[in-house]
């Protein structure tokens, strides 16, 4: 579906009214949006609206990664990541929050290339706070935390290493 232009403008203009909505309702609606077919477009069109209840995304919007391994801003990468994984609520929430600490962890080398060392650990801690604030259930929040914590770690390309990782995190396909 598409949102009519006047409706889009009203959403942007009235976004602060979301502060009057319970966090439980926000969480339910956020989950529905994340698993929807149009998640990418909605995330790209309304980052200012999401920032009302997840202000930690604001630094990600328009933040260039300036690295040969990245062709998108942090927010564009996040939105693409959400849309490219299966529509599982927990996995899509992981993708929404997995790089949230990149702006905070940016360093620049002598060539002007950006690096984001240990962003996954800081991001996991940020995600824990966000999920607590949004009153996610403990089991989902813990799983999201663990997957974000691990997301930039390299697993040796051996069957036993992959099996161990899958077993450790009870990953479901």
């Amino acid at each position: 579906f598409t949102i009519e232009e006047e409706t889009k403008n009203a959403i942007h203009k009235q976004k602060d009214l979301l502060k009057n909505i319970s966090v439980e309702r926000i969480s339910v609606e956020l989950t529905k949006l994340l698993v929807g077919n149009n998640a990418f477009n909605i995330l790209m069109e309304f980052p200012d609206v999401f920032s009302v209840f997840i202000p930690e995304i604001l630094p990600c919007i328009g933040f260039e990664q300036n690295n040969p391994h990245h062709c998108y801003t942090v927010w564009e990468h996040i939105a693409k990541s959400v849309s490219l994984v299966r529509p599982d609520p927990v996995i899509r929430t992981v993708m929404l929050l997995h790089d949230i600490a990149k702006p905070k962890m940016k360093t620049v080398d002598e060539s002007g290339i950006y690096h984001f060392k240990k962003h996954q650990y800081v991001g996991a801690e940020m995600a824990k706070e966000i999920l607590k604030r949004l009153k996610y259930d403990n089991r989902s929040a813990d799983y999201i935390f663990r997957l974000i914590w691990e997301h930039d770690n390299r697993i040796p390309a051996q069957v036993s290493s992959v099996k161990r990782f899958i077993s450790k995190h009870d990953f479901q396909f």
Side-chain angles (χ1 to χ4, degrees):
F1 72 93
T2 59
I3 300 174
E4 194 272 328
E5 201 62 35
E6 285 185 39
T7 304
K8 283 183 190 179
N9 292 336
I11 291 169
H12 289 292
K13 185 177 178 183
Q14 300 297 325
K15 67 183 182 238
D16 287 326
L17 292 175
L18 288 170
K19 294 175 183 173
N20 300 324
I21 307 297
S22 74
V23 293
E24 293 87 354
R25 169 52 71 197
I26 295 286
S27 297
V28 166
E29 297 302 327
L30 175 62
T31 298
K32 288 179 188 177
L33 181 142
L34 289 176
V35 299
N37 293 331
N38 204 23
F40 174 78
N41 292 333
I42 298 296
L43 289 168
M44 291 303 296
E45 182 70 34
F46 299 102
D48 58 319
V49 176
F50 293 101
S51 72
V52 171
F53 50 90
I54 307 176
E56 295 87 347
I57 69 168
L58 281 173
C60 300
I61 301 165
F63 188 92
E64 296 292 338
Q65 298 194 67
N66 195 27
N67 184 297
H69 303 291
H70 302 287
C71 61
Y72 300 112
T73 67
V74 172
W75 185 248
E76 290 167 337
H77 168 74
I78 287 170
K80 286 264 187 204
S81 299
V82 167
S83 69
L84 293 174
V85 298
R86 73 177 188 269
D88 174 273
V90 171
I91 300 303
R92 287 210 170 172
T93 304
V94 168
M95 299 316 293
L96 178 68
L97 301 175
H98 81 284
D99 277 349
I100 201 132
K102 275 191 166 181
K104 185 183 281 193
M105 300 306 292
K106 177 191 99 174
T107 59
V108 183
D109 69 17
E110 60 281 347
S111 301
I113 304 296
Y114 294 4
H115 300 278
F116 309 98
K117 293 177 181 153
K118 299 186 180 183
H119 77 280
Q120 70 272 30
Y121 308 125
V122 174
E125 294 295 340
M126 290 172 70
K128 182 191 290 186
E129 292 303 313
I130 292 165
L131 297 170
K132 181 178 179 181
R133 186 173 66 236
L134 293 177
K135 299 188 179 186
Y136 271 64
D137 67 277
N138 290 336
R139 184 173 185 203
S140 296
D142 180 61
Y143 192 52
I144 292 165
F145 171 87
R146 288 186 292 128
L147 291 180
I148 293 172
W149 184 275
E150 295 283 358
H151 92 266
D152 207 30
N153 293 337
R154 306 294 187 252
I155 302 169
Q158 300 165 343
V159 172
S160 61
S161 297
V162 174
K163 282 183 177 180
R164 193 169 24 261
F165 179 86
I166 289 170
S167 175
K168 177 181 176 184
H169 294 289
D170 191 31
F171 192 73
Q172 304 294 317
F173 289 98

